[in-house]
Amino acid sequence: MPSGRSPRDGLPPVTSSAQRDGLGVSGLTAAPGPATASPVTPSPAPRRADGVAAAPAHGLGSDDLIELLFFAYRDFVGDPDRILAAYGFGRAHHRVLHFVDRYPGLTIAELLDILRITKQSLNRVLKDLIGQGYVAQKTGPSDRRQRLLYCTPSGAELAADLTRVQARRLARALAAPDALGSPEDFLMAMIEPEDRAAVRRLMARRGSSAGGDA
């Protein structure tokens, strides 16, 4: 693939990092500015699509939260994984692109502190991203030993594509009627709809096996 070219996979136009401030991506709007204080009114009880009030947070244990976090994370990172695969990139490339895009001029030392990875691992990822034209490095204005990282236009487009699909999943989960009851309900809403029944069956097996024969 030519340097800096990307298999866009029919994706719609992307937004710049400046336009994405405040999560202004894919229907997620920036937080409003300061407003005049107004009387606080109780929020109505959350309701499901059928009009029935959503159940309050139920007494699931920490095991359930851990398991749902696993499945929610699997699908949350699975969306960008499919885009990255077309470039021959992985999740490490995604993390580097994410922070370099949002913090132009990030130093190597700052990025290492954010990602908590070894310098050797970071160097491998940067070699790919710089070599293929997605990240550029410049010397520091006051210290020429310093390397400052910036996304190229191609890198910014790819970072925006990856953010867009994850923001879309979050927005969909937050808008789901069933996500209003508890943290567990929100995490279930993060999982692909066609996979939720299987996740519920799997978790029910764990619960029933706890009282089974040894």
Side-chain angles (χ1 to χ4, degrees):
M1 182 183 305
S3 176
R5 301 293 296 173
S6 58
R8 304 279 297 149
D9 195 29
L11 295 168
V14 298
T15 57
S16 67
S17 55
Q19 290 172 308
R20 294 196 304 274
D21 286 348
L23 290 183
V25 174
S26 299
L28 296 183
T29 57
T36 304
S38 57
V40 176
T41 56
S43 299
R47 306 189 74 82
R48 299 192 323 226
D50 56 8
V52 178
H58 41 78
L60 293 181
S62 61
D63 282 353
D64 297 290
L65 276 173
I66 291 169
E67 203 153 314
L68 285 169
L69 274 169
F70 168 82
F71 287 112
Y73 177 76
R74 179 197 66 183
D75 289 351
F76 181 68
V77 298
D79 293 330
D81 280 351
R82 286 183 281 275
I83 296 175
L84 290 161
Y87 298 79
F89 292 158
R91 293 176 186 174
H93 299 83
H94 182 188
R95 289 191 287 270
V96 170
L97 275 172
H98 177 93
F99 287 103
V100 173
D101 179 55
R102 279 150 188 77
Y103 304 97
L106 203 63
T107 67
I108 297 289
E110 288 172 327
L111 191 53
L112 283 170
D113 187 56
I114 290 169
L115 299 178
R116 304 289 173 87
I117 60 176
T118 66
K119 192 171 184 178
Q120 182 180 14
S121 298
L122 178 58
N123 285 340
R124 284 197 300 266
V125 174
L126 284 176
K127 182 179 179 182
D128 292 339
L129 293 171
I130 293 171
Q132 297 187 41
Y134 296 99
V135 169
Q137 59 180 358
K138 302 177 182 178
T139 56
S142 57
D143 184 352
R144 299 192 64 81
R145 295 171 300 177
Q146 206 174 41
R147 288 185 293 164
L148 309 182
L149 302 172
Y150 298 85
C151 273
T152 65
S154 295
E157 286 184 354
L158 177 53
D161 290 343
L162 300 172
T163 295
R164 180 180 57 78
V165 294
Q166 291 190 309
R168 184 173 59 197
R169 181 175 293 274
L170 280 172
R172 189 169 62 232
L174 288 167
D178 291 340
L180 301 175
S182 70
E184 293 84 1
D185 293 332
F186 168 73
L187 291 172
M188 185 64 76
M190 284 282 287
I191 299 169
E192 286 292 331
E194 62 269 24
D195 293 334
R196 293 172 195 165
V199 170
R200 291 190 180 97
R201 287 195 299 269
L202 180 67
M203 293 176 68
R205 279 175 53 190
R206 193 194 70 231
S208 63
S209 64
D213 295 334

